[in-house]
Amino acid sequence: MTAALSCLIWSVPLLLGSGLWVALAGWPRGAAARCCALGGGWIIGALLCGLGLRLFAAQYLAGAVERVGAAAALAGALLWVAAWRWRARVATDVWVPAAAPARGARILIGVLCGLLVWRGALLLDDILLHPVLPWDAWAVWLAKAKAWVLAGRIDASVPYGVWVAQAEGAQRTGVAWMYPELVPWTAVWFAGGAHWIEPLVGLAWWGLGFALLALHYGQWRALGVTPLMAWAGVYALGSLPLLDAHVALGGYADLWIAALLSLGAHAWLRWSSCGERRQLGLVLVAMALLPLIKLEGAVWSLMLGVACVFRLLPRQLRGRRFVVIVALVLVTLVACVVFGLPWIGMARRYLDSGRLFDGGQIGASAVSLAAALWGQWNWNLLWFALPAALLWNARHWTASPMTRRLLALLAVPLVVLMGLFLFTTAAQYAQSYSAVNRLLLQIVPLVVSALVLLIRPPDVATIAAPPQRGADSPSASA
């Protein structure tokens, strides 16, 4: 892989994604907005480049990255130009910005930043020293990408029976032939479309981890969190052992799901709490991409859509909003069944094939789930700190509409995961610890965000003050 091609592979997603971000959210006038545009933009841009490779490349991959990259770079540049031309039209309601950090806080921020840089260097060194490990990540998510790149062409994935029966033709099968393919196509993008050097492909997960931290810092500052508290949250998120494992080992789709779900949820929070209507565009982008990554992404996409409808209901329907939401969910589920969407089949497999009503099995699953949260070393003290903060600072966070909204949104996936691992056949994965922590990882960035807002709700002090208008971000200084 040449240096020019490597530069294109890494710079084009940033240009395209950040251009789309500023076109939707508005011109970035502060450090917080720039962090959001760069971190969130790279996440969206990387996935869009993978999607573009799938949609617009020819059957053969030779030169496909260069063609798609040129088109994506042009689109990104045009989006930046459009955002610049529209910059004067942005008028959003925002919270009062937090004060600049004191000297002692700046020293602590420097220490936290240094620790994160040291941790990132260790992860980078680890990624460059080994290929993708032969675990589920290789067999499920990267096997397709490697086959495509080494063959130099796009081969359809079919069931095993179809593959065995074919007389001739370019078809492949595997354990995950029916899974969404956006992550494999994104891996093809980072492989350059013609070379399979696994450490270089694994670097995409290192970039994802860095972008995730930058996005959360920007979102917390945009919501009014103080710089020290925002950096503390970034360190708490970046130091979680399982998150670091997914960055270093690479290959799994769960970290991409976590990043998109958190991106969409924070955009929804800024719209519903700060009146930034343009954030709805980012919510829609997250909702569109989530089902293309993993089957459960469809569930989180549905959850974000319901949350948006919940906030958009007129006042005269607020008293009946739960009835409206239930009706909307039922209609959506019926539509998914009618169109045969893949995630419905997965849900049926868990719900229809032997529910676990045996008390002993449910008890064993509950013990295993508790061990995953509080007995293993995957999450540091996160699941201890969250209930402690809920009790310790209840007087303040209950007065914070922003924090209450995030907690209400977070409660939905928590209830879904608890029900999944306690009352369905997925309990076997909780008892064997094979999937429970990976699914928890998908909501962990939101859990850390909830912890940050619980400890220091940013809107409590300004809740009686009228919102300011005309700023693109509540924190012009980071």
Side-chain angles (χ1 to χ4, degrees), residues 31-392:
R34 288 191 291 271
C35 284
C36 289
L38 294 177
W42 189 89
I43 295 169
I44 293 174
L47 294 172
L48 288 181
C49 286
L51 185 61
L53 202 61
R54 177 64 183 94
L55 295 178
F56 303 113
Q59 181 180 1
Y60 294 93
L61 292 175
V65 169
E66 291 84 349
R67 296 193 303 273
V68 174
L74 178 61
L78 292 176
L79 287 168
W80 271 99
V81 171
W84 171 258
R85 292 180 63 87
W86 298 337
R87 70 192 185 281
R89 303 180 187 179
V90 178
T92 56
D93 297 333
V94 296
W95 297 106
V96 178
R103 184 172 181 272
R106 289 197 297 270
I107 294 174
L108 289 175
I109 289 173
V111 172
L112 293 174
C113 184
L115 290 173
L116 284 172
V117 169
W118 172 71
R119 184 179 293 269
L122 292 178
L123 294 174
L124 179 62
D125 183 64
D126 192 53
I127 292 168
L128 295 177
L129 286 177
H130 64 71
V132 175
L133 296 184
W135 59 344
D136 287 356
W138 185 91
V140 174
W141 301 110
L142 293 188
K144 290 180 181 179
K146 186 174 183 178
W148 294 333
V149 170
L150 294 182
R153 65 177 186 270
I154 304 168
D155 295 328
S157 296
V158 297
Y160 178 76
V162 176
W163 178 76
V164 169
Q166 68 174 344
E168 59 183 29
Q171 291 181 338
R172 298 181 184 273
T173 191
V175 295
W177 66 269
M178 79 298 288
Y179 281 23
E181 296 181 342
L182 184 52
V183 169
W185 275 106
T186 303
V188 173
W189 169 265
F190 282 98
H195 311 275
W196 188 260
I197 305 174
E198 291 191 350
L200 297 184
V201 175
L203 279 178
W205 275 257
W206 187 86
L208 174 61
F210 180 83
L212 182 66
L213 297 184
L215 170 65
H216 277 79
Y217 176 80
Q219 294 285 29
W220 289 331
R221 292 291 289 124
L223 290 170
V225 176
T226 63
L228 179 58
M229 195 66 211
W231 272 106
V234 168
Y235 181 77
L237 181 59
S239 62
L240 292 175
L242 192 65
L243 187 143
D244 287 348
H246 276 245
V247 169
L249 299 178
Y252 265 125
D254 300 279
L255 195 57
W256 292 97
I257 287 280
L260 271 183
L261 176 59
S262 186
L263 186 156
H266 282 88
W268 173 85
L269 188 63
R270 289 178 63 175
W271 162 62
S272 61
S273 295
C274 305
E276 298 182 61
R277 292 182 295 274
R278 295 172 68 113
Q279 293 288 324
L280 269 176
L282 297 173
V283 180
L284 295 177
V285 170
M287 289 175 59
L289 292 175
L290 277 168
L292 303 179
I293 296 179
K294 205 174 179 182
L295 294 176
E296 54 261 41
V299 180
W300 306 144
S301 179
L302 177 62
M303 181 191 74
L304 289 175
V306 169
C308 290
V309 173
F310 195 85
R311 295 297 303 166
L312 285 171
L313 286 177
R315 289 186 178 274
Q316 56 267 29
L317 291 179
R318 290 291 173 88
R320 302 176 181 176
R321 53 189 174 184
F322 289 103
V323 176
V324 174
I325 293 302
V326 169
L328 177 65
V329 170
L330 291 176
V331 169
T332 304
L333 290 176
V334 170
C336 291
V337 171
V338 170
F339 289 102
L341 297 187
W343 76 274
I344 293 294
M346 179 191 69
R348 282 176 172 170
R349 180 161 58 90
Y350 286 136
L351 296 176
D352 294 341
S353 58
R355 294 189 180 97
L356 297 179
F357 287 112
D358 179 70
Q361 289 295 317
I362 294 176
S365 300
V367 171
S368 299
L369 189 57
L373 295 176
W374 295 292
Q376 297 178 347
W377 295 353
N378 291 315
W379 310 114
N380 287 337
L381 298 177
L382 176 62
W383 299 100
F384 292 93
L386 183 66
L390 281 167
L391 297 174
W392 167 70

